[in-house]
Amino acid sequence: MKYDLNLLPVFVALMEERNVTRAAEQLGMTQPAVSNALNRLRETLRDPLFIRERYGMKPTEMAQALAPVIRGALASLDDVILGQQAFDPARATRQFTIAPNSYVEFVLMPLIVARLRECAPGIRLRLTPFGNDLAETGAISGATEMVLGRIVEPPDNMVVQHLMDDGLACVVRSDHPEIAESISEEQYQRMRHVNVLPPGRMRVGLFQMLQQAGLRRDVSVSVTHFLAVPEMVAVTDYCATLPRLICQRLARDPRLKVLPTPVDLGSFPVELAWHVRYRNDPAHRWLRSLIVEVANDVSGAAAAEAVAGH
């Protein structure tokens, strides 16, 4: 039996999205082209593969059985082909799609972009939302090359690398009428708070840390990005509990002051994840190493600043 290898990425995208329109967007194809490819797959495999339902498409038993085999085959092909290619960062022209959570977008991405501008000016980055899980980012299918943030329960076809850890601190306005150089547990629980609700699992981590420490927060307003916090805090008596590296940047704002949390809330990991098909891609390997270097520089500088502060 002859197989059209061009149809296999379409199958993977349909398994990922369970929707022809979204699969077409992921692949950069038109909807009719994806529908035509699906019809050809059905004819070749003699199975409907996907059954229309009210809220999308349900894969058949054959599709479920084929999915890991096809994903593995594509990853193996990529390993062989990409592994033979040389990579010169100074001359390379390539676009990477990366999904950073809002913390990474604030703390690491500007430094990553600056480093790329120096040593790989032809490399372009397209940032896509982190989403609530890896499936939403397109990372499980490989459409998104890297995910940066807190990676929870990754599937078998994802590789996860630890980058760094960060802790938490508090931010209030510099002329706060009640808060001087520290915040007590009683003050923390009496104050009103600005809460950040980024996509993904990092917000779960903060809630768990507070619960384990026995601290309660009276949340007055929830925002979707760290950049909204300084303007909220600067004009109110509210407090925000944020990652320490973000607080270090906010400390440059004379309207704000950064203080330790009333109790130790521990730390959270920052991780890098990618599809196994990129394991031996020379350009991908190079970019991963650059990201690791930037993360090491940031965490090292933060540790040195913490020591100097004491």
Side-chain angles (χ1 to χ4, degrees):
M1 182 181 292
K2 293 183 178 180
Y3 299 100
D4 184 347
L5 296 181
N6 293 318
L7 301 178
L8 300 186
V10 175
F11 174 84
V12 172
L14 287 168
M15 282 295 296
E16 174 78 19
E17 301 292 351
R18 310 293 171 91
N19 180 279
V20 171
T21 301
R22 291 198 300 269
E25 291 174 355
Q26 182 189 122
L27 295 165
M29 298 171 61
T30 64
Q31 184 175 337
V34 172
S35 296
N36 180 58
L38 175 56
N39 288 333
R40 291 166 61 194
L41 276 166
R42 286 168 168 164
E43 292 173 4
T44 300
L45 300 173
R46 298 178 183 178
D47 187 87
L49 297 177
F50 299 94
I51 308 298
R52 288 189 180 278
E53 292 188 331
R54 184 176 180 182
Y55 297 108
M57 303 168 69
K58 180 180 179 181
T60 64
E61 289 186 11
M62 175 176 277
Q64 295 278 19
L66 285 172
V69 177
I70 291 176
R71 287 192 180 112
L74 290 175
S76 296
L77 283 170
D78 287 341
D79 277 353
V80 173
I81 295 170
L82 294 173
Q84 302 301 316
Q85 298 176 358
F87 178 71
D88 180 358
R91 298 184 179 183
T93 56
R94 176 167 168 177
Q95 176 173 289
F96 286 90
T97 300
I98 298 178
N101 66 10
S102 56
Y103 168 88
V104 172
E105 194 169 8
F106 191 98
V107 171
L108 293 182
M109 289 310 304
L111 300 173
I112 292 169
V113 171
R115 192 76 62 87
L116 285 173
R117 186 175 182 272
E118 293 176 0
C119 57
I123 298 294
R124 293 167 293 132
L125 300 182
R126 175 180 176 271
L127 303 188
T128 189
F130 188 86
N132 290 312
D133 55 43
L134 292 176
E136 289 186 11
T137 67
I140 294 177
S141 67
T144 295
E145 282 106 332
M146 297 181 193
V147 179
L148 287 156
R150 183 134 184 218
I151 314 299
V152 179
E153 299 176 355
D156 292 340
N157 65 349
M158 297 292 296
V159 182
V160 179
Q161 179 174 357
H162 180 268
L163 289 178
M164 54 187 272
D165 294 296
D166 197 2
L168 297 164
C170 294
V171 178
V172 297
R173 66 186 176 100
S174 57
D175 56 348
H176 196 288
E178 298 180 17
I179 306 302
E181 300 304 318
S182 65
I183 301 176
S184 69
E185 292 184 45
E186 189 275 332
Q187 287 173 319
Y188 186 89
Q189 295 183 105
R190 190 177 69 246
M191 295 173 72
R192 305 181 78 178
H193 291 257
V194 179
N195 187 42
V196 182
L197 287 175
R201 305 294 185 90
M202 201 164 80
R203 61 175 180 265
V204 175
L206 175 56
F207 291 156
Q208 290 174 343
M209 290 173 180
L210 290 168
Q211 186 176 23
Q212 290 168 3
L215 283 180
R216 300 184 307 275
R217 285 188 305 170
D218 179 6
V219 176
S220 288
V221 58
S222 291
V223 298
T224 59
H225 201 284
F226 296 111
L227 290 174
V229 172
E231 301 307 318
M232 295 275 188
V233 171
V235 296
T236 66
D237 292 337
Y238 295 173
C239 173
T241 305
L242 301 175
R244 191 175 292 122
L245 285 173
I246 289 180
C247 288
Q248 287 181 2
R249 286 157 176 74
L250 297 184
R252 301 167 188 165
D253 187 331
R255 301 173 301 167
L256 307 173
K257 61 182 174 183
V258 175
L259 303 171
T261 55
V263 298
D264 183 7
L265 294 176
S267 62
F268 62 89
V270 182
E271 296 158 317
L272 168 65
W274 63 91
H275 194 286
V276 292
R277 74 172 57 172
Y278 297 113
R279 181 171 43 212
N280 294 322
D281 180 337
H284 201 280
R285 281 204 308 261
W286 179 86
L287 182 55
R288 294 198 306 261
S289 67
L290 181 143
I291 292 172
V292 170
E293 289 176 5
V294 169
N296 287 339
D297 290 347
V298 168
S299 57
E305 185 171 334
V307 171
H310 289 296

